[in-house]
Amino acid sequence: MASGNSKLKWALGISLAVNVFALSAGGAFWGYKHFRPKAPEPVTALTEAVEGLSPATGQKLITAVRAAALASEADMEAAWELRKQAAEVAKTEPYDGPKIMVLLAQARDLEIKGKVRIEQTLVDQAAALPPAERAIVADRFIKSSFKLRRLLFKAQMAEKKAREEATKAAASATGEAGKP
């Protein structure tokens, strides 16, 4: 019987060790989630660009630019698809340079259409600003085409990621709500 009692002691000892390890891991995870230092709120490219404007003006400008960028998103995605098609055509034999140029021209036209929509929004918004704030908009958005593209790309990617996360959250909430 000592043999059976010894096995039971070993099993209890191993069980105790596993439980202590599991509790320690769970406690460490809980502590990490609840006591880690919080990161500062993310600063978006558009938020950075409107520094120096009044908060109301900055928010109004961000909202307008985001709306214009979202309205241009379909054109930008279509342009991306055309550029992918042009790249695929360039890989095929026989090489068809004129077809590639047509696809690239179509893509460029769509990109320009989107950019014009955003620039028109900026010009319209700047018209209502006082001269000092208009100067900030002019320097950060209108004067530098590269800065505008970089800011808008960052804003579009952030918006797209937020929409995807919201869709995933809604899908998981719907999936969980449907379970008994």
Side-chain angles (χ1 to χ4, degrees):
M1 230 201 282
S3 163
N5 199 11
S6 177
K7 288 181 182 177
L8 182 61
K9 286 181 182 178
W10 274 102
L12 287 173
I14 291 171
S15 175
L16 179 65
V18 168
N19 285 330
V20 167
F21 176 75
L23 284 172
S24 298
F29 180 74
W30 181 82
Y32 172 76
K33 285 290 190 184
H34 293 285
F35 294 113
R36 68 181 169 168
K38 301 289 182 209
E41 288 296 316
V43 176
T44 66
L46 288 173
T47 306
E48 231 176 79
V50 296
E51 281 181 7
L53 300 176
S54 69
T57 300
Q59 191 55 48
K60 185 177 177 184
L61 188 64
I62 287 171
T63 302
V65 169
R66 281 186 177 155
L70 287 173
S72 302
E73 188 173 4
D75 291 336
M76 295 301 184
E77 286 180 6
W80 177 249
E81 285 301 317
L82 287 168
R83 288 188 179 279
K84 283 183 3 186
Q85 288 175 20
E88 289 303 316
V89 170
K91 296 174 188 176
T92 62
E93 288 296 330
Y95 186 77
D96 190 356
K99 184 174 182 179
I100 295 169
M101 287 306 298
V102 167
L103 290 169
L104 290 174
Q106 291 171 346
R108 197 169 36 255
D109 290 344
L110 287 170
E111 291 165 347
I112 290 170
K113 182 180 169 186
K115 187 176 177 186
V116 166
R117 180 181 289 130
I118 293 165
E119 287 175 340
Q120 184 63 54
T121 299
L122 287 167
V123 169
D124 293 345
Q125 292 293 316
L129 298 178
E133 289 186 336
R134 191 176 324 122
I136 292 171
V137 171
D139 285 341
R140 294 188 186 155
F141 290 106
I142 296 172
K143 179 177 160 185
S144 175
S145 175
F146 175 74
K147 278 185 183 178
L148 175 62
R149 273 192 308 246
R150 183 177 57 88
L151 291 169
L152 291 174
F153 178 74
K154 284 183 177 181
Q156 285 176 329
M157 292 299 105
E159 290 290 329
K160 189 173 185 178
K161 183 178 179 183
R163 278 197 315 276
E164 288 171 356
E165 288 175 0
T167 303
K168 285 180 186 176
S172 68
T174 305
E176 291 174 11
K179 293 181 182 176

